[in-house]
Structure formats: structure tokens, C-alpha cells
Amino acid sequence: MSTRIARKHPMESQMIRLFALLTVLLFSTLTLAAQIPEKSPNDDNQYRFLELENGLKVILVSDKEADKAAASMNVAVGSGDDPEDREGLSHFLEHMLFLGTEKYPAPGEYQQFIKSHGGQHNAFTAFQDTNYFFDIQAEFLKPALDRFAQQFAAPLFTAELVDRERNAVHSEFSAKQKEDGRRFYSVKKAVSNPEHAFSQFAVGNLTTLENTDDNPLRPDLIEFWKQHYSANLMSLAVYGPQPLDDLEAMVRGRFDTIENRNLEPKRHMASIYTPDALPAKVTAEALKDVRSLSLTFPIPSQEDNYRTKPANYVANLLGHEGPGSLFDVLKRAGLAESLSAGLGMDTGENATLEISISLTPEGLSRHEEILPLVFNYIEKIRQKGISEQRFLEMQNLARIDFRFREQGSPLHEAMRLASQLMDYPPEDLLRAPWLVERYAPEQYREILNRLTPENVLAFVLSPDPGLENPNRTNWYEAAWTREALDPKALTTPQLPELAAQLQLPSTNPFVPEDLDMVPGPTMAKPLLLGSVQGMEIWFARDTRFDTPKANVFISLRTPAARASARSNVLTQLLVDSINANLNAWAYSAGLAGLDYSVYPHLRGITVRVGGYNDKLHTLMNRILLQVASPELTRQRFDIARQNLIDSLQNKAKDRPVEQTSEFVQTSLIEGAWSTDDKLRAAREVTFEELLSFSEAAFSQVDPVMMAHGNLTEASALNLAWQIEAFVLRNTENTRVERSQVRQLPERETEVSLTVDHPDTGYTLYMQGDNTSFEERARFQLLAQIISSPFYEEIRTTRQIGYIVYATPYEMLETPALAFVVQSPSASQTEIDQAVAAFSAEFANTLAGLTDERLNQEKQAVISKLLEQDRQLGEISSRYWREIDRGAERFDSRERLAEAVKNVSLKTLLDTFRKAVLEREQSLRVVTGGNGLQADRALGKLTELPPVPAS
């Protein structure tokens, strides 16, 4: 049988070709549409997803209003990929990748380029990811990307730098060796499945990164890079004001040179915790006064459930803090201070759900009674917590938040997107964290069925657990023991009176309903509407971000708060009671997009309420009632006082540089009290004193208020009248002056602190002559120019320590420059000698600065000062700071930027000579050494006069 081919009419052929072309175009359009992520209606940015020929995934973000650009590269390789005989190798690789490439071989060239163009850079290594990132002035994005791409395409791994960076990694390890967070994490690793990579040491040190003739490190480093780093395991986010086509052109030709080795990400198939080791309780010793109970439940990976988020649903109920919740019942009983619940680790194969409870001393002593209460609450959720109504509320709130999402900084957006590109398909990239597509009761039950007494690992962290013959973790020497738990005991009620109080959350009354924008243009700056009972009322309507949100601040400045260390302590205890009384009632407001804080400061207390303006006044009213008439109880007083004592005692166990920097602040800021003074007062103060203090604290006030955002003038005035009615009606007006910074004598003052830590801490604080914009500008510019060379010399070249930085150290508009160093090996004398040598050498560098370079550094400072506001809260906070300092022109940053523009090299050199070389008006605080002891130094420094205005 033959086959006959019919001949087509010419017109028919043309139609077929046209149809085929349209089909291709339609398919291309649909394909392209699928690659454009679905974004928030409030998002004006443009997005484009690419996959380069080498398999590198890229998300481009064009924000035409951005003044900063940023990029982030996420590599699906982390500490979980470390060879067993080279723990910390992925972290070491992260360090080495920065230090020179074939095209840009100088080790500090990348860092200096970023810094001198107003940017910042860093990286971090996690279990399955390593993330590299930077931001920069937008016009320098292209050359920055050129340098960034080279780090992944052609790193040098210079042999001479290997030992230097080993020391840096070791210094990082040493600096945090006595931190309870790291120590407790090492305990979690120690009790995990030894067949799982999580059990390995992730940071690395000189031992695990040994570099000898018999065991050279560089070949292992290069081999690890070749075996693990591949373009197809990388995802890049680039954010800038340039059009998408321009951003794409910057990426192509640079990042497509990264080799695709067609690698697969490592799969961690083993269980994180072996089933036969559960249930168990692990008790670990803390160095600080911290007490906690954490429950870890192994569950299946939740990565594929991002559209339904069952773990979020369950954790939302477990971690709820409303009336009758597990936390509320424990807190009212005086057993707990905080509680959180959520996903812990998720490797894509296995995951954990964790409940963490911060305990009071009584709660710690009764933690075995608390455990059954937790399982009682889990059972209540299992029986009655799965409800479509709860789901719909959760879904509605997620949709509202996504609809009115405000943008973060370019840097944070880039980091987030690069990381999420590993987890979500391109079309869901932007909405995935808020995506809750359907009610999934079967998935909720699957997770709840894993939260059983047979499947739990309970961790108890205590400062004095009384362990007998404890185990010790590798490298951190943290003491711990493990004992089996009886599942039956975990379901035997121990606290029936508390169990009877447990209840599930009711409907959220704060879900916003009116989401309309108020009429009228955004105001250029706040306007003083007048005063009520001596309270200035500042108002600024602001709808620039098209979000129905507002922020209201109230400062109740009172002389009672600053009279003594004792009054400072009483103010903190009063604020604690206010917050404790509000927590259960106001928790639902936080879920519904409202937030608040009541906090003490040098002049009194501040109340801030923000979020969707629809129900904002309801929350404010309840807060004002508590401020006016706080419900004080002896139980809460005892707990809060102990918490304060613990936190003050824990300061002696902070990192050395945290303690040296803390001393600078407490010794020089008027109204700041030393840790010892506050600790003495906290130990002595009584409940009866708090009762008396609360009645008199606001009898004299110097109040001020600001309302900013999606509000009308009438609503701002209405809030002011509420404040007057609740808080100010029976008060007397007074004036509470702003604190100032004390002026150091015209010489260097050295202070020695006694600190229980193997590292040496060093802070050299160099103070300006006055608080004028001109002097502040000189110190800001000097810090900008000197910071990168200081880091390069002290940390990278001399390898003195991991924590090394030069920074502007402005306090209350008093300009200063600070050099901060923490070293595991150098003494305070050796650090100071290195700093002095650097300073002398840098004098020549500064003197040789060209006009072009000086202007470049000025622009870097100005770009930071005038950085674009991206969220309403940023503007609110800036306005509030201006009101606090009495800058009613609201143009401080513009005036400071103008002053930076006018700094001459001559005046800069003069400032450098006086402040850095001669150390006029400087304070050197070190651990160890032969300087003044802290108490004697405080006595002298607190008698000094304030820094003058000009």
C-alpha cells in the first residue's frame, strides 16, 4: 500500500505557518508569564527570573526608586557537607572566597571597593547553605557584580593567606566559646544521631583545620570547592534601580562563567535523632543565669507543604499567648517568662518541631510538672483545635499582610530572595511565605500525631543543674547528661488546677476591617497641632507607601525616672508589670498586624503603638489604662526583680568587647547608671517601694506625642484627648532636660576591667570637641575612610582577632570614633601597640588622599545618611528622634550631609591628628592591664562637665 501526500493550497500553507507562529508566541508568552513571580498588589518593583546556561538561577529586581543596589548569592552547600576529618571546612571556604580572584588578586580589594562606595558585605554558613551578600551605591552595581562574580568563578585561594584565615576562623570560634547559645547548640549536636552530619562541629578551629606538611589544608580546600561548588547549586538575586534588561546584561557574561559541575545537593537521609534514643531528657549547664525547657519533636520534612503550612497552623496554636493559652497559664502561675513554637530544622528529608519555654526559677524547679501540662495542651489542640474557622482567620491575615507588604532594604530583599529561590518555584517566590491555599486538616493531624510523649527530646538548660559525672561537648566543654523519660509519666497530670485553666484561642478581635487610605497628600514633615495638658501634639499624615498603617508615640518624661539608680530600677520594674498585664490581651493584636512596646529610657517611659490603623485606638486605650493604673502583684514583682538581677549579673559574662563598650556608655552618658549600682538597687528594692513609686511616678510629667501615617488630624487629636483623660488629668507639668555626654579631659584615660574570659577586650573611644554638625561630619567621614584599612591591618594582616572594627561612636549627637578589638592571643598592650602603629602609618595614607578619593568617600557617607526610606516605621522613628532632640526643623540628616560635603582634607587631617594620633579626649577601656579600676574611673568620669554644643 502506498502513502499519498495531499498537496496544500498556497493560502492554506500560509495559514498553517501563521497558526504555528502564533502557537509558538503564545507558548513563549505563557512560559515567560510562569517565570514572573506573583507579587503583592502593593509592590511596584519589576521582577524577572532567569536560568543561565550553566544552570545558575537568577532573580532580578528593578526598583526604580532605589538609591542602593544589592546582590546575594546562595550556595546549596553548608556545614552539613563538611568531611568528617575536616569539620568547619565549608565555613573556612566562605572566608577564603573573599580573599582575591584571578581578575582582582589583591586580598582586600573587594572589601575596599564596597566600603568606599557606601556599601557593606558579609557572608554566613548554615547547615545546608552558604550565603554571600553586599549592597552599594546604585551606580556602582556593575563593577561590584564583576568582583562578586569572580569570587565564584575564579577564586585564588592564595597559599599565603591560608594560615592567616585559619587564625581568623579560630578567633571567631574562641570569641563565642563561652556563649550559652553556642554551648547549648553543641549539646544538641552531641545528642543527635552520630550518622547525621548535624552532629559535626560546624565552625572549625586550628585543630580541625590543621595545616601541616603531613596534612596540608589548601589542597583539601580546593578539592572541597571543586566537589561541592557548582553553578547549578547556586541562586543569585540582584536588586537595583536599573531596568531589568540592564540588570540582565550585568549578570550575563559575568556569572555564566561560573563552572557547572552538574552536582547534586547532599541529601541527609538519616534521622536527626535516632528513634531508639527517644523519649529522653537532656540537662545542660548554662554559664549565665538562664533557665529554659525546650521540647523537640522529630517530624517529616515540611518543604513540600509550603502552600498549606500545616506546621505554621499547629505552631500558631501551641505558641499562642492569649487568655487560657499554655503560656498564659504558666505565666500567671509564675512559672514561665516566654514561650515560642515553630519549625526547628528542616533538611528536606527530616524536620523538627520545637516548643521553647523560658522559665522562672520556680518554673525550673517544677519543670517535670510542666511537661505533662504541655502534652495536655497538645491533646486539647488535637481534639478541638482543628477548625476551618481558625484556618480562614489565619488565611485572611496572611493575605492582608501580603497585600500591604512593605519592602525591606535592597540588601535584605536580595538575601531573602536568593535563599528562597532554592526552596520555591519562581512563580511562588514572592508570595510563598504568605501562601496558605487551603484548609488541610489531614496535614495538621499528621503533625499533631507526632507530638507525643514517645517522640520527644526535652532539653533543660540551667545555671546550676547539679550534674553528676556529666558528659562534656567537644570544643565547648559544655556539661550535660541524658536520662530516659517514661511516656506514661508525661501524660499523668501534675498540675490539675492549671490544666483546668487551659483553653484554645477565641476569634481575633483585632483583624482589620477598614483598610482604606485617608484622603489628603503626604505631609513633608510633622506639624505641631498644639498641646493638651502640657503635651505637645505632633502630627504627620503619610500615605506614601499605600499601606493603611500608622505609628503613635507617647513619651512620659518624668524626673522620677532618673533621680537615682534605685529609681531607674523601679522604672524598669513598673514597665515590666505594665507589659506583663497587657501580654495575654494584646497578643492577638500582634497576630493581626498591630504591635506595641512600652519601654523605659533615660527620661521616663515611652509607649509606641503601630500597625493597621483600623483597631489601633482600641489597643492604645487598653495600654493607657494600664499605664495610668497598673495592676501590681508581689508575685510579678519577685519574678521581674529576679530577672533584672539575672540580666545585670549576666553582663559580667558578656564578651570582653561588649563589656568594654558598655563601660564607655555608662560612664559618659548623664543619667546612665553602672551595672553595679543598678544591681545593688535591684537587690534592695521592695514591693512596697514599687507601689509608692507607681503612684508618684507620673505626678510630674513632661509629655509629648506624635501620630504619623494613615491618620487624620481629627483622629490624632482624639488620641491626644484619650491620653489626657487616662494619664495626664491629675499631673503637674515640668521640664525634663535631655541627657548629655560628659566631656573627657584633654588626655587619654585608661580603664582596666576584670573579666572572666580567655580573650582580651579593647575599646579605644576618641571623642570630638563639640556636638556641631561640622564636628559630627568630620568624625563620620573619618570613620568611613579608616574602617576598611583598620580591619584589613588588624584582623587580616596582623591576625590579632576576629572581632575587629573601626566605627563612628556617636552618642546623643556627640561625635566620636572607636577602635574595637577582641583577641584570643594578644594582650591589651600588644593590641594598643598595633593600633598605634596602624594610626601612625595611616596618617601618610590620609594625607595623600586625592580630591577624587575624598569626594568618593564623602558620597559614601552621604548616601548612608540620606538612604531612602522604605517603610513607614523608618520614617516614624526618624521623626520621633528629631522630636526627642528638639530638632523641630526635621532636617538633621540633610544638614549633616551638607556638612560632610563641606569637610576639607585639612580639617580632616587636623581631626585625625588630635583624636587618633594624640588621643586628646580619649578613653581606652581594656580587660586586664594597669589602668584605673572601674569603680575609681567611674567616680572620676561622672564628675566631668558635658560636651559643649559648639
Side-chain angles (χ1 to χ4, degrees), residues 296-299 314-315 318 352-355 374-375 378-379 381-382 444-456:
T296 296
F297 299 91
I299 64 172
V314 172
L318 289 169
T352 60
L353 190 140
E354 303 191 356
I355 303 172
V374 175
F375 284 101
I378 291 171
E379 184 60 27
I381 294 171
R382 191 180 286 118
Y444 312 152
R445 289 192 186 93
E446 184 181 358
I447 290 177
L448 286 165
N449 288 339
R450 304 278 181 149
L451 309 189
T452 65
E454 294 79 16
N455 188 46
V456 67

Side-chain angles (χ1 to χ4, degrees), residues 531-550:
S531 66
V532 172
Q533 192 69 18
M535 178 179 70
E536 290 185 342
I537 307 164
W538 291 92
F539 166 70
R541 179 179 53 253
D542 195 331
T543 56
R544 74 187 75 181
F545 298 115
D546 292 322
T547 55
K549 296 181 180 181

